[in-house]
Amino acid sequence: MGRFIDISGFIGRTSLLAPGGPRVITTSDDTSLKAVPVAKPKIGLALGGGVGRGWAHIGVIRALEAAGIKPDVVAGTSIGALVGGAYLAGHLDTLEEWARSLNRRRMLGYLDFTLGAAGGFLGGARLEKLMHKYLGETKFEDLDTKFVSVTAELATAHEIWIDTGSLVEGIKASYALPGVFPPSRYNDRLLVDGALVNPVPASVCRAFGARVVIAVSLHGDSFGHANLDERLELSGVMNGGEGEDATASQPVLADAQQDKPNRLIMKQLFGTGQKLPGAGTVMVGALNIVMDRLSRSRLAGDPPDVLVMPRVGHISLLDFDRADETIKLGLEAMEKEMPQIEEAMAILSR
């Protein structure tokens, strides 16, 4: 089914080898140094988790493309794995078009409720079907650029790196948010969202030889009212969709609109505008706290060369329907850091 790497026994050891591996200097017979050309440093791109804020990664990649910078290693956690995998598989345009087309009705239409019987409120089958539609049977090995999906083993809390086998399965394991999506079974292990162990996987890029690591964190300004305002406005769905594009999303919403138990779960999961948030809001908000604190710790121990932090804190974690704004913020943040990237590349090319 594919290989994965359990790095639990190696945490703290990645600094034993210099990023990019050893550099060799050769000398002539009279021991005088010969000048040799130095190749462009290997570039790593670490795309962090952030749920709906993750569309900012699309803008980040667009800015890199405009500057003519192509990473040699890409590591993704949670939605970072989704965007990174789509990018390297040649489907970033498709993903961007789909993300920009989302409104709240369409977004709810992709949620298949399971009453928690499958290990989460959502089964995830509709999203998986959509990924299979575009990514098909693509494997990690088929990609031209090294790609690693970061996930966590539920039983041991080990950090798992997936870099072979089915791309869809690897991505699905990385965004399996506990309580929301069921754990993903991979090589007889139950895997959950990688944000629980490595929210911004800069260390993964280092381990695969990147000398210049660009890390994208979506938690630089993540605290405030947005964390408590995750309630989706369900009135449009319940009442036939006033103010929304009702016809465009009717096929995917047919079950959700006609099934009263599903509508009840929506209210419990996302809230109904009352003072207290729904269960889903609490779970996602708790994940946000974990990701913020853990990413600060991990990045302090193994800092990237360039840290990109789009100002997306005002965007709720469940605001998948704000792709236009989020993508623009990612683009602007990367453009702002471009001089640092160019400087780092110049220094490490000497």
Side-chain angles (χ1 to χ4, degrees):
M1 186 175 179
R3 174 186 73 149
F4 62 80
I5 304 171
D6 183 340
I7 60 95
S8 57
F10 297 91
I11 293 178
R13 300 190 203 172
T14 54
S15 60
L16 292 177
L17 288 177
R23 303 184 72 176
V24 179
I25 300 177
T26 59
T27 61
S28 63
D29 292 339
D30 61 2
T31 71
S32 61
L33 292 177
K34 284 185 177 180
V36 292
V38 179
K40 175 182 76 69
K42 194 172 184 178
I43 300 172
L45 178 62
L47 302 176
V51 201
R53 295 169 182 161
W55 299 142
H57 292 316
I58 297 175
V60 164
I61 293 171
R62 293 304 188 197
L64 289 174
E65 288 179 330
I69 298 175
K70 182 175 176 57
D72 302 286
V73 179
V74 176
T77 294
S78 196
I79 194 167
L82 172 62
V83 176
Y87 163 53
L88 296 180
H91 291 288
L92 187 64
D93 290 344
T94 302
L95 179 63
E96 180 176 353
E97 181 181 358
W98 178 76
R100 290 183 184 275
S101 73
L102 285 177
N103 54 37
R104 300 210 167 181
R105 287 180 55 83
R106 284 178 174 168
M107 188 170 70
L108 290 171
Y110 286 105
L111 307 184
D112 44 349
F113 295 94
T114 64
L115 293 172
F121 279 106
L122 308 178
R126 294 176 184 173
L127 292 174
E128 183 178 357
K129 181 179 180 181
L130 190 66
M131 284 197 296
H132 274 294
K133 177 180 178 181
Y134 294 107
L135 299 178
E137 301 303 317
T138 304
K139 298 182 180 298
F140 283 83
E141 301 92 321
D142 298 330
L143 305 177
D144 294 331
T145 300
K146 183 67 179 180
F147 177 54
V148 184
S149 177
V150 179
T151 183
E153 186 178 14
L154 184 60
T156 64
H158 289 174
E159 181 177 343
I160 305 295
W161 299 350
I162 301 176
D163 66 345
T164 61
S166 167
L167 184 59
V168 169
E169 293 298 321
I171 293 172
K172 186 178 70 169
S174 188
Y175 71 62
L177 178 61
V180 178
F181 291 107
S184 179
R185 187 172 294 280
Y186 196 96
N187 283 6
D188 295 325
R189 295 193 184 191
L190 289 178
L191 305 179
V192 293
D193 199 311
L196 295 174
V197 290
N198 198 349
V200 186
S203 59
V204 182
C205 295
R206 290 279 189 217
F208 281 91
R211 298 211 64 205
V212 176
V213 175
I214 305 166
V216 185
S217 172
L218 304 176
H219 302 93
D221 61 338
S222 61
F223 289 98
H225 292 294
N227 285 338
L228 301 177
D229 191 24
E230 308 291 349
R231 296 180 298 274
L232 294 177
E233 293 296 335
L234 300 179
S235 58
V237 176
M238 303 306 159
N239 300 323
E242 292 103 338
E244 292 280 9
D245 180 2
T247 58
S249 53
Q250 280 181 351
V252 293
L253 276 171
D255 293 337
Q257 287 180 299
Q258 296 175 9
D259 191 342
K260 290 183 179 180
N262 279 357
R263 288 182 289 180
L264 178 60
I265 297 172
M266 286 184 192
K267 291 179 180 180
Q268 293 176 339
L269 185 59
F270 297 114
T272 57
Q274 303 300 319
K275 291 183 179 180
L276 292 178
T281 300
V282 174
M283 286 189 294
V284 175
L287 176 68
N288 188 57
I289 295 173
V290 172
M291 287 192 294
D292 175 74
R293 293 298 186 257
L294 185 55
S295 61
R296 290 171 189 257
S297 176
R298 294 294 300 263
L299 292 176
D302 194 355
D305 299 285
V306 180
L307 179 60
V308 183
M309 303 176 72
R311 306 294 290 181
V312 293
H314 62 288
I315 296 175
S316 297
L317 292 174
L318 298 178
D319 275 346
F320 289 94
D321 58 323
R322 295 175 67 176
D324 289 347
E325 179 183 2
T326 312
I327 291 171
K328 181 181 178 182
L329 291 170
L331 177 71
E332 293 172 347
M334 179 55 81
E335 288 177 341
K336 182 179 179 180
E337 302 298 333
M338 202 60 68
Q340 290 191 37
I341 297 173
E342 294 171 351
E343 181 180 3
M345 292 176 61
I347 292 172
L348 293 173
S349 295
R350 293 172 184 171

